[in-house]
Amino acid sequence: MEQQTRVALLAIVVEDPDAVPQLNELLHQYSPYIIGRMGLPYPARNVSLISVMLDAPNDAISALSGKVGRLEGVSAKVVYARLEE
């Protein structure tokens, strides 16, 4: 039986540049689920904004979001597409 996946957007705000190597390693670990990624530095506020589009099982999305959010100087939130009926 194939595991059901969901489409989601993971929004990431990086305030500490030292966290970037750890963040990239996490994203690499979950790369099979990543549809696309866009990142923009915002030097005026000393932050970087990253959007990661996912098609993954719920537990993988939650795990990635939690791990990213626990990085020092990084915030993360997930928005899910509606479930198909």
Side-chain angles (χ1 to χ4, degrees):
M1 184 169 99
E2 188 173 316
Q3 190 171 16
Q4 184 178 357
T5 63
R6 293 198 60 190
V7 174
L9 173 67
L10 175 59
I12 303 169
V13 178
V14 180
E15 298 178 70
D16 182 358
D18 292 337
V20 172
Q22 294 168 296
L23 174 60
N24 283 333
E25 178 57 33
L26 283 173
L27 294 176
H28 177 72
Q29 290 173 14
Y30 287 83
S31 64
Y33 302 119
I34 295 176
I35 302 167
R37 172 182 171 179
M38 179 180 67
L40 296 170
Y42 187 38
R45 295 291 192 127
N46 294 318
V47 298
S48 292
L49 307 169
I50 303 168
S51 298
V52 181
M53 289 62 71
L54 301 159
D55 187 355
N58 251 352
D59 59 340
I61 295 169
S62 295
L64 175 59
S65 175
K67 290 175 184 179
V68 169
R70 284 191 294 278
L71 294 175
E72 190 70 32
V74 179
S75 301
K77 295 288 181 189
V78 177
V79 178
Y80 292 91
R82 294 180 189 205
L83 286 174
E84 296 177 12
E85 295 185 24

